[in-house]
Amino acid sequence: DVQLVESGGGLVQAGGSLRLSCALSGFFFDDYAIGWFRQAPGKEREGVSCMRAGGGITYYADSVKGRFTISSDGAKKMVFLQMNSLKPEDTAVYYCATGPPLRGRDSYLNATQYDYWGQGTQVTVSS
């Protein structure tokens, strides 16, 4: 079975940076989709940034483009989300997820397309 464990969340002032990490265990393949999602209180879970596990394809939500960067270390089975210029509206629980191969931005950023999820890590940005 696939398991994911996120870390790196915390409290940061607006304009600051955080780096989230996701450690994966179990089987998965280079063509799997992997990504970061977030859910704020009272809101639906939304796609933040997603990629093909083996590289070559990345997508970002418009709200984070230019501020967040997704990356991976395949040898270590790690996925990262570097978050810069954080805003109070970035406050949410951030989840790492993976699932079977996908096609297109809308699919990659769609939480319902993913089968395996981590427990989430809280990110709070103060104004």
Side-chain angles (χ1 to χ4, degrees):
D1 200 8
V2 177
Q3 293 185 330
L4 303 93
V5 178
E6 304 96 334
S7 61
L11 173 64
V12 64
Q13 288 188 331
S17 298
L18 282 174
R19 189 191 195 210
L20 304 183
S21 299
C22 175
L24 294 93
S25 61
F27 74 91
F28 75 114
F29 303 100
D30 281 351
D31 57 352
Y32 269 32
I34 190 162
W36 291 95
F37 296 79
R38 67 186 181 186
Q39 189 165 19
K43 294 188 176 181
E44 291 188 357
R45 192 167 297 189
E46 64 172 347
V48 175
S49 180
C50 302
M51 65 182 290
R52 179 180 175 272
I57 298 173
T58 58
Y59 295 107
Y60 294 92
D62 290 342
S63 58
V64 306
K65 201 173 295 183
R67 300 189 296 123
F68 291 12
T69 303
I70 189 171
S71 62
S72 66
D73 183 335
K76 296 181 180 179
K77 287 190 174 181
M78 297 286 294
V79 181
F80 307 100
L81 185 68
Q82 179 65 44
M83 305 186 295
N84 298 329
S85 303
L86 283 160
K87 304 176 181 179
E89 51 263 44
D90 295 318
T91 295
V93 177
Y94 283 70
Y95 298 90
C96 182
T98 190
L102 298 173
R103 179 173 293 182
R105 182 177 184 271
D106 288 348
S107 293
Y108 267 89
L109 293 177
N110 184 344
T112 65
Q113 301 294 315
Y114 291 74
D115 297 327
Y116 302 99
W117 292 84
Q119 82 288 349
T121 185
Q122 177 71 46
V123 172
T124 303
V125 184
S126 63
S127 57

